Amino acid sequence: MDDVMHECRLCARRCGADRYAADGFCGADADIKAARAALHMWEEPCISGQEGSGAVFFSGCPLHCVFCQNREISNEGIGQTISVHRLSEIFLELQEKGANNINLVTPTQFVPQIIKAVSCAREGSVLHKPLVIPIVYNTGTYETQETVRCLAQTVDIWLPDLKYRDPELSKKYSGAADYFDTASAAIGEMVRIAGAPVFDGRGLMKSGVLVRHMILPGCTEDSKNVLRYLCETYGRKIWISIMNQYTPMTGIGVKYPELARRVTKREYEKVVNYAIGIGIENAYIQEGPTAKESFIPSFNGGEGLLPPPRQ
């Protein structure tokens, strides 16, 4: 996949940037940039488990959603440059800390480098130990089908968003009127590659597809349409996570006043009850005070990115 970096087409923007010379639409050049690598407890139970998911948060993003809760790294470029070799080491360090998996958060813009890093870590050529835990691909889902296919031998667990069904909403909030067409095609390819979900004896996912949908304020009808599509298309072939953790970021109400509030309990219950009514069974729902900024990790310190001090 090296050639793609000369004329980048990893995502549906197909911006064609020579990322060895300039940033793509995603805000990234050819050097890996990440903002945090640490055990992460706030994913679905089958991903985090008791020990945590080994989350690597990459900088940049193909979507730049106006409501992004990780906007410091997705839109503002916070992060540190690391090599492919260092990324391999990070994977192994997270495994050593007890991570249940390696969780690649917003990884689309660095797919070629990630494939190399995972391969090196798995073959045991880094730190003289092999990477044996599953790889989770945690994406906003704006990559092409070709990009997904390139990851077939790298990714075990696919964790895509399906943010919208309505092209007017995706155009307004993500600048991507073609979002549903792109994301649904990518998810179809993920399901084809992964097959039916597989869990271990502790209830942790070992392989498969878990699709996330976060409800936006005032958008319950679109949420219903998203869930109906997933149910009718995939049935029990996937798991679904119905999320109420939307957090209005500072200043969003200036241009998008409708997004300047959290999702109400009534809105969330309406969507969950709809999901139950159409027969969705393999689903996670969120209970309690999940819509808090405490669920958004700090990226300023670059945790886990520098090599540990030698003993």
Side-chain angles (χ1 to χ4, degrees), residues 183-233:
S184 59
I187 290 170
E189 194 66 19
M190 294 172 188
V191 175
R192 184 192 68 78
I193 291 168
V198 176
F199 298 84
D200 67 12
R202 297 179 297 159
L204 294 173
M205 184 175 274
K206 306 303 289 183
S207 64
V209 179
L210 196 169
V211 180
R212 288 172 160 171
H213 174 70
M214 185 175 71
I215 303 166
L216 294 175
C219 296
T220 56
E221 290 306 309
D222 194 57
S223 292
K224 291 178 183 179
N225 291 336
V226 167
L227 295 176
R228 185 172 67 249
Y229 167 79
L230 291 172
C231 182
E232 292 177 349
T233 306

Side-chain angles (χ1 to χ4, degrees), residues 40-43 57 69-70 245 247 286-299:
H40 192 64
M41 303 303 300
W42 303 325
E43 309 288 29
F57 290 83
Q69 296 174 26
N70 293 343
Q245 68 188 53
T247 303
Q286 292 182 318
E287 297 178 332
T290 54
K292 289 185 176 180
E293 291 191 21
S294 60
F295 278 72
I296 304 171
S298 172
F299 300 113

Side-chain angles (χ1 to χ4, degrees), residues 6 11 41 141 144 146 177 183 218 233 247 252 258 283:
H6 285 289
C11 80
M41 303 303 300
T141 326
T144 65
E146 293 82 3
T233 306
T247 303
I252 195 168
E258 71 276 16

Side-chain angles (χ1 to χ4, degrees), residues 18 26 50 91 135 184 199 241 252:
D18 180 355
C26 59
Q50 295 296 315
F91 294 159
I135 300 295
S184 59
F199 298 84
S241 181
I252 195 168

Side-chain angles (χ1 to χ4, degrees), residues 233-279:
T233 306
Y234 299 112
R236 297 176 63 86
K237 294 179 182 178
I238 64 170
W239 276 71
I240 300 171
S241 181
I242 306 171
M243 306 167 74
N244 72 345
Q245 68 188 53
Y246 170 77
T247 303
M249 306 307 289
T250 302
I252 195 168
V254 175
K255 190 172 182 181
Y256 304 97
E258 71 276 16
L259 296 181
R261 65 172 177 86
R262 294 189 172 101
V263 172
T264 67
K265 181 179 179 182
R266 177 176 173 79
E267 284 176 315
Y268 188 63
E269 288 178 347
K270 183 186 297 186
V271 174
V272 170
N273 289 338
Y274 178 81
I276 294 170
I278 63 174

Side-chain angles (χ1 to χ4, degrees), residues 1-23:
M1 291 195 71
D2 289 342
D3 290 344
V4 76
M5 303 301 284
H6 285 289
E7 189 176 341
C8 193
R9 53 189 183 278
L10 290 168
C11 80
R13 303 284 182 193
R14 298 182 185 272
C15 70
D18 180 355
R19 289 178 50 197
Y20 291 103
D23 292 349

